[in-house]
Amino acid sequence: MSELFPHFQVIVVSGLHDSGPGHWQSRWQHLHPEFVRVRQDDFDQPDLAAWAARLDQQRRADPRPALLVAHSFGCLTAVHSIARNCDGVAGALLVAPADPDKFGVADRLPALPLDCPSILISSVNDPWMSAPHAALWARRWGSELVEEGRLGHINADSGLGDWAAGQQYLQRLAELAHNRLLAFSA
């Protein structure tokens, strides 16, 4: 995918029930075994603080800057983690975030831009978050918003396979993060 990825720790942050073998996150990990996945104690019981703490552990396990590749409740986990401490996070790809109101965690998420580049990808027919609500959260977080059309929850049921378009968004995020890191080191 990218010659930039060795410079980053790429962390897969899945949502409820983890991501099965047909999910694009799992397929990307198969394509890139160097990507690591955050393992939660219980993928069936979303707990924002506990899940973010586990992500924080994974972030500290590698000194390289992290690119977070999040889906659904994993997006909420990633944003919560970044808001508490952005050190070492180079960027976040936030795909089909779950609606924070459905989980009662909206008040625990930042309403200000994240301190790293982020791309939020939404679908107009996502049952877990409406397109207008996704646009609202993208504005709050300072994320570039990409509306991908009618892809449902952008998961295995969407039939995306290796999701080439998503890989291109991750490549763009890596480039943004790399350029930002270069600018800070200059």
Side-chain angles (χ1 to χ4, degrees), residues 47-72:
D47 179 326
L48 189 62
W51 284 29
R54 185 58 58 88
L55 171 55
D56 295 345
Q57 274 183 324
Q58 184 63 57
R59 287 172 44 195
R60 289 189 301 269
D62 188 320
R64 294 175 297 168
L67 291 177
L68 308 182
V69 178
H71 179 257
S72 194

Side-chain angles (χ1 to χ4, degrees), residues 21-153:
H23 194 287
W24 58 268
Q25 283 182 314
S26 298
R27 295 174 68 106
W28 287 9
Q29 268 195 285
H30 181 74
L31 293 170
H32 299 278
E34 70 276 14
F35 289 12
V36 295
R37 183 184 301 241
V38 178
R39 295 290 174 199
Q40 302 296 347
D41 289 334
D42 187 349
F43 274 108
D44 297 329
Q45 297 297 320
D47 179 326
L48 189 62
W51 284 29
R54 185 58 58 88
L55 171 55
D56 295 345
Q57 274 183 324
Q58 184 63 57
R59 287 172 44 195
R60 289 189 301 269
D62 188 320
R64 294 175 297 168
L67 291 177
L68 308 182
V69 178
H71 179 257
S72 194
F73 194 83
C75 295
L76 309 184
T77 301
V79 168
H80 186 64
S81 174
I82 294 166
R84 292 185 326 176
N85 180 359
C86 66
D87 291 347
V89 178
L93 185 66
L94 307 170
V95 181
D99 192 325
D101 292 327
K102 290 185 179 186
F103 292 94
V105 298
D107 62 334
R108 295 168 55 199
L109 297 175
L112 299 170
L114 302 175
D115 196 23
C116 66
S118 60
I119 300 172
L120 189 150
I121 302 173
S122 71
S123 165
V124 297
N125 64 335
D126 187 342
W128 284 94
M129 186 184 292
S130 70
H133 212 186
L136 170 73
W137 284 103
R139 278 192 307 277
R140 286 179 178 169
W141 296 334
S143 302
E144 175 185 337
L145 176 64
V146 177
E147 294 178 341
E148 273 292 288
R150 302 183 64 79
L151 293 179
H153 194 43

